């Protein structure tokens, strides 16, 4: 019995998502729609339709990298809620490198642009890491506020010094076609950034488990005092951890420029950075599970239009379901399993059954 209860606790995030979908089905019923048909259209379009799956992968890349950007600092005891701003700064740095550096051998130039995006995100996150480590300022507040600063800096750049002449909307000139990321599902916009994100998730899982850097990161996250006693430079580790998370989000912004938009747009992200927060918590900050959670979330986003066309359910229902996922996943995180507690309750129950058995036999 204890093992069953423990299994339910281990898979509590899955049950939280299932519960969110069940509540979402009630919303569909109230709108006069068949939830089974609506969900079949949603997930069928997102994962089993060629063009729909291509659209899912387009959203998968930034959501995955944003999820990793939150998960890695979370393992280090830091809450990075600034992935959205880091995505924007990564896109800005990438666009500057793509538009203003002289063109050279394209694979190297493409790599430089991607690294520039990672550098932009790392710089933006390192500000919060430094203020947390050396000034004791709460990183949640700093990263949250830096989101809006980063978004507005990009809006200024896209609508000001970098704006294409005569453009009807704030955006930069198009980057050279030699810098476009390779596509993996032609003719959709799915690009190689999705594969890079999965590869990075695997590498980060290995680093966290088998390297001294990973040991230092998790030790600081679990017990900063013990880490300091072990000789780990806690403040420097905090800054590096936040910068690493920001670099991942910045890379997501760079891939949006190199693989999808091909320009720097004003307000180009629909909230990928905030989706990354939910994805990281759904995955329990485990890099290996982040791609699975990101694929589910990106499927919700891309499948909404299929659901709306097939069943008539407004796509705003998906926004409600995403909110329900956030609520139920957050609630599940507050639940803890203590084997000793459950074992004690079950032992008491068995003792009570043993006491009642002779009485029942006597009455029989």
């Amino acid at each position: 019995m204890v093992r069953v209860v423990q299994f339910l606790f281990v898979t509590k995030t899955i049950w939280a998502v299932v519960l969110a979908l069940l509540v979402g089905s009630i919303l569909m019923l109230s709108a006069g729609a068949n939830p089974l048909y609506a969900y079949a259209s949603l997930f069928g379009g997102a994962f089993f339709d060629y063009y729909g799956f291509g659209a899912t992968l387009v959203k998968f890349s930034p959501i995955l990298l944003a999820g990793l950007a939150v998960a890695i600092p979370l393992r280090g005891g830091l809450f990075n809620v600034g992935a959205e701003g880091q995505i924007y700064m990564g896109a800005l740095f990438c666009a500057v490198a793509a538009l203003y550096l002289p063109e050279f051998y394209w694979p190297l130039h493409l790599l430089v642009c991607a690294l520039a995006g990672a550098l932009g995100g790392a710089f933006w996150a390192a500000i919060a890491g430094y203020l947390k480590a050396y000034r004791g300022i709460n990183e949640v507040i700093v990263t949250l506020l830096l989101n809006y600063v980063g978004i507005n800096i990009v809006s200024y750049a896209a609508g000001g010094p970098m704006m294409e002449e005569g453009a009807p909307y704030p955006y930069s000139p198009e980057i050279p076609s030699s810098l476009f990321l390779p596509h993996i599902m032609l003719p959709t916009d799915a690009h190689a950034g999705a594969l890079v994100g999965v590869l990075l998730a695997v590498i980060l899982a290995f680093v966290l488990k088998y390297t001294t850097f990973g040991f230092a990161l998790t030790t600081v996250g679990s017990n900063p005092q013990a880490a300091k006693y072990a000789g780990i430079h806690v403040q420097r580790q905090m800054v590096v951890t936040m910068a690493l998370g920001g670099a991942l989000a910045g890379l997501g912004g760079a891939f949006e420029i190199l693989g999808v938009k091909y320009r720097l747009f004003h307000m180009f992200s629909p909230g990928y950075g905030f989706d990354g927060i939910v994805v990281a918590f759904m995955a329990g900050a485990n890099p290996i599970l982040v791609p699975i959670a990101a694929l589910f979330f990106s499927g919700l986003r891309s499948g909404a239009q299929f659901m709306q066309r097939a069943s008539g359910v407004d796509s705003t229902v998906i926004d409600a379901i995403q909110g329900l996922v956030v609520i139920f996943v957050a609630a599940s995180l507050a639940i803890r399993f203590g084997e000793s507690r459950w074992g004690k309750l079950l032992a008491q129950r068995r003792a009570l059954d043993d006491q009642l058995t002779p009485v029942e036999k006597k009455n029989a």
Side-chain angles (χ1 to χ4, degrees), residues 40-61:
S41 304
L42 171 71
F43 293 112
F47 298 112
F48 299 103
D49 178 85
Y50 183 84
Y51 291 94
F53 187 61
T56 298
L57 290 182
V58 170
K59 296 171 176 59
F60 172 70
S61 176

Side-chain angles (χ1 to χ4, degrees), residues 94-114:
C94 174
V96 169
L99 292 172
Y100 299 117
L101 287 179
E103 291 189 47
F104 49 95
Y105 184 52
W106 75 265
L108 186 58
H109 195 178
L110 181 63
L111 178 62
V112 168
C113 292

Side-chain angles (χ1 to χ4, degrees), residues 66-89:
L68 291 173
V70 178
I72 297 304
L74 197 60
R75 293 288 291 267
L78 299 168
F79 294 92
N80 177 22
V81 296
E84 184 76 357
Q86 293 149 22
I87 286 174
Y88 273 88
M89 293 305 291

Side-chain angles (χ1 to χ4, degrees), residues 233-276:
H233 196 301
V234 175
Q235 288 86 356
R236 182 174 60 196
Q237 188 67 40
M238 286 182 175
V239 177
V240 171
T241 301
M242 283 296 290
L244 177 58
L248 293 164
L251 191 62
F255 286 165
E256 283 295 286
I257 300 298
L258 300 172
V260 183
K261 307 296 184 183
Y262 308 125
R263 305 173 186 266
L264 181 68
F265 277 87
H266 159 76
M267 300 295 290
F268 67 88
S269 170
Y272 291 137
F274 299 111
D275 290 344

